[in-house]
Amino acid sequence: MTDPYAWIKESLATIHRADWYRSVQTIHGQPGAIVLLAGQEVINFASNDYLGLAGDERLIKAAIAAIQEYGTGSTGSRLLSGHRELHRELETAIASLKQTEDAVVFSSGYLANLGAITALVGKRDLILSDQYNHSSLKNGAILSGAAVIEYPHCDVAALKTQLSQQRQNYRRCLIMTDSIFSMDGDLCPLLTLLDLADEFSCMLLVDEAHATGVLGKTGAGCVEHFGCTGRQLIQIGTLSKALGSLGGYVAGSASLIEFLRNRAPTWIYTTGLSPADTAAALAAINIVQQEPQRRVQLWRNVDYLKKLLQQQLPNLKLLPSESPILCFQLPSASEALQVGKQLRQAGIFAPAIRPPTVPTSRLRISLMATHELKHIDKLIAELNNISK
Ligand SMILES: *Cc1c(COP(=O)(O)O)cnc(C)c1O
């Protein structure tokens, strides 16, 4: 008899051989632009904490106060014993930031996507999904049982062709896309997607995970950036990136949100968001709305880094980006790992992103409002060193 678990070790060996093996790295102390990584102080270009709020004193105080008032756990699902006034306050704050009729919070952005997609479409329906969408959208699509067609990245002509050929064969249709693509940094063609959704009677789901707090005049995201506030669509996002906490949300019409509270399994059958996470996210949204200068600072850093890259490192293969996420394409996984390692030795934390997360290996830099210009200068100096 063969050992039924033997394949696991063989599989791990294959992952190692391909340079796809991954493991955790320990960060000590507070999050921020500078962190202690396995005992070494490094400039952090690996964080989703775009506004530097995860270590903000006001979020910490709000979380502590919520624990003291409500305890550590929500103790039940929202529909049974886990609903608190704090959850409603957070949902109202999200709806006000997004200028939607309502919002509902989930325990993570991943669960928000799984829950919304499986509630909205099923076996008789069609999903059209950008090829580079986040894992949570892709797995939500599979879980829904709908027919799934991936269209080439941001290719609206290909999407239109698919819609003309396929739309009439299905009951409902859901087009879905990241707004800022998480491993590339470019934006979805939102205006054209909205037009196509109208033309072919499709729902449109936009995942604002990396754009909330980052894009748009008030930090509402890509939808605001493109002047589409108030248009009919399904906006999803996370509380765990620019908002410095943990959790996810769906924002949209009152009927959409009411429906999800009755039909989204990852909301109905899971414990409500913890009081500490809820309170921290609520404090973060207040800061996003009251301190636009954080966003100004973030975009100043993005412009500064882009300018220096163009001037000093024109040969680096920078992927198209309109966000604080900047990626350099590298020829192989092992080279990406090598560059990541060299930067790390120089005190810079910028991870190599490899298949299967992305089709081609790259180094990914994400900027924060709390980076200082000297941090970016140091990154440029080290990239210059490496490319010599
Ligand atoms: C991070 C991310 C998510 C998941 O959000 P979590 O709150 O971390 O679960 C979903 N979609 C996109 C595009 C993301 O980048």
Side-chain angles (χ1 to χ4, degrees):
M1 292 285 274
T2 55
D3 172 3
Y5 300 95
W7 68 270
I8 296 175
K9 279 185 185 150
E10 287 154 22
S11 204
L12 272 172
T14 308
I15 293 171
H16 271 293
R17 270 197 303 278
D19 275 321
W20 287 10
Y21 187 77
R22 309 199 253 184
S23 56
V24 299
Q25 308 192 66
T26 307
I27 304 263
H28 302 276
Q30 291 283 330
I34 306 270
V35 287
L36 261 186
L37 177 61
Q40 182 197 6
E41 202 172 85
V42 292
I43 307 172
N44 184 8
F45 291 107
S47 175
N48 296 320
D49 184 20
Y50 297 109
L51 300 176
L53 292 179
D56 190 282
E57 202 53 46
R58 292 163 290 181
L59 271 70
I60 295 171
K61 282 208 178 106
I64 292 172
I67 289 177
Q68 279 166 342
E69 189 169 353
Y70 300 109
T72 49
S74 284
T75 77
S77 69
R78 293 278 299 283
L79 289 173
L80 291 177
S81 59
H83 177 69
R84 299 290 199 153
E85 188 56 34
L86 205 50
H87 292 124
R88 198 55 208 147
E89 281 172 42
L90 174 58
E91 289 169 344
T92 306
I94 293 167
S96 129
L97 176 68
K98 299 275 171 180
Q99 294 190 48
T100 54
E101 287 173 357
D102 206 351
V104 57
V105 295
F106 287 72
S107 301
S108 78
Y110 207 112
L111 290 172
N113 276 327
L114 293 187
I117 297 164
T118 52
L120 292 169
V121 287
K123 282 196 191 75
R124 296 157 65 195
D125 306 320
L126 174 65
I127 289 177
L128 285 150
S129 173
D130 189 289
Q131 171 194 19
Y132 286 0
N133 276 343
H134 188 260
S135 158
S136 53
L137 292 171
K138 295 189 176 205
N139 280 328
I142 295 169
L143 202 58
S144 75
V148 184
I149 299 175
E150 289 202 334
Y151 58 89
H153 182 48
C154 290
D155 187 341
V156 286
L159 172 59
K160 184 165 185 174
T161 305
Q162 290 292 353
L163 283 167
S164 330
Q165 290 169 358
Q166 303 285 344
R167 174 68 186 94
Q168 78 260 22
N169 301 328
Y170 296 90
R171 180 183 58 169
R172 299 179 200 134
C173 178
L174 175 67
I175 302 171
M176 53 188 208
T177 185
D178 283 15
S179 70
I180 292 178
F181 284 87
S182 55
M183 293 299 145
D184 298 81
D186 55 345
L187 303 187
C188 72
L190 185 65
L191 291 164
T192 315
L193 293 178
L194 273 166
D195 288 346
L196 286 174
D198 279 348
E199 186 182 342
F200 291 92
S201 181
C202 304
M203 300 176 281
L204 176 61
L205 184 159
V206 181
D207 183 343
E208 296 265 43
H210 290 273
T212 303
V214 168
L215 273 179
K217 195 156 168 280
T218 70
C222 186
V223 171
E224 182 185 29
H225 171 78
F226 282 120
C228 299
T229 308
R231 299 270 307 255
Q232 175 97 291
L233 43 76
I234 300 152
Q235 297 182 55
I236 302 217
T238 178
L239 308 173
S240 6
K241 287 174 177 145
L243 300 179
S245 180
L246 178 69
Y249 64 82
V250 182
S253 71
S255 54
L256 168 73
I257 302 308
E258 195 182 348
F259 176 77
L260 292 179
R261 282 197 211 101
N262 285 274
R263 280 287 182 272
T266 59
W267 188 78
I268 299 170
Y269 301 105
T270 197
T271 302
L273 201 60
S274 84
D277 292 322
T278 311
L282 184 56
I285 290 179
N286 286 330
I287 296 172
V288 163
Q289 291 180 307
Q290 280 157 25
E291 297 180 3
Q293 62 270 28
R294 284 182 176 265
R295 238 170 350 269
V296 172
Q297 188 64 44
L298 172 63
W299 286 99
R300 220 177 63 177
N301 285 342
V302 174
D303 291 341
Y304 184 70
L305 175 58
K306 276 189 170 170
K307 193 186 79 193
L308 292 188
L309 285 170
Q310 276 158 14
Q311 285 170 356
Q312 299 189 29
L313 292 149
N315 293 330
L316 275 189
K317 271 202 200 135
L318 190 63
L319 299 179
S321 163
E322 295 160 87
S323 73
I325 301 167
L326 296 169
C327 296
F328 312 110
Q329 204 165 328
L330 291 159
S332 67
S334 63
E335 263 176 85
L337 282 178
Q338 186 55 30
V339 173
K341 207 162 140 192
Q342 279 174 286
L343 286 174
R344 169 76 185 278
Q345 277 158 3
I348 288 169
F349 183 25
I353 310 288
R354 294 162 283 162
T357 308
V358 287
T360 54
S361 294
R362 65 201 62 180
L363 195 82
R364 181 177 183 272
I365 309 275
S366 60
L367 288 165
M368 301 167 64
T370 45
H371 280 128
E372 295 170 25
L373 297 186
K374 67 177 186 210
H375 297 150
I376 297 169
D377 290 335
K378 165 101 168 144
L379 170 66
I380 289 287
E382 290 310 328
L383 286 172
N384 266 317
N385 267 342
I386 291 171
S387 59
K388 257 179 211 151

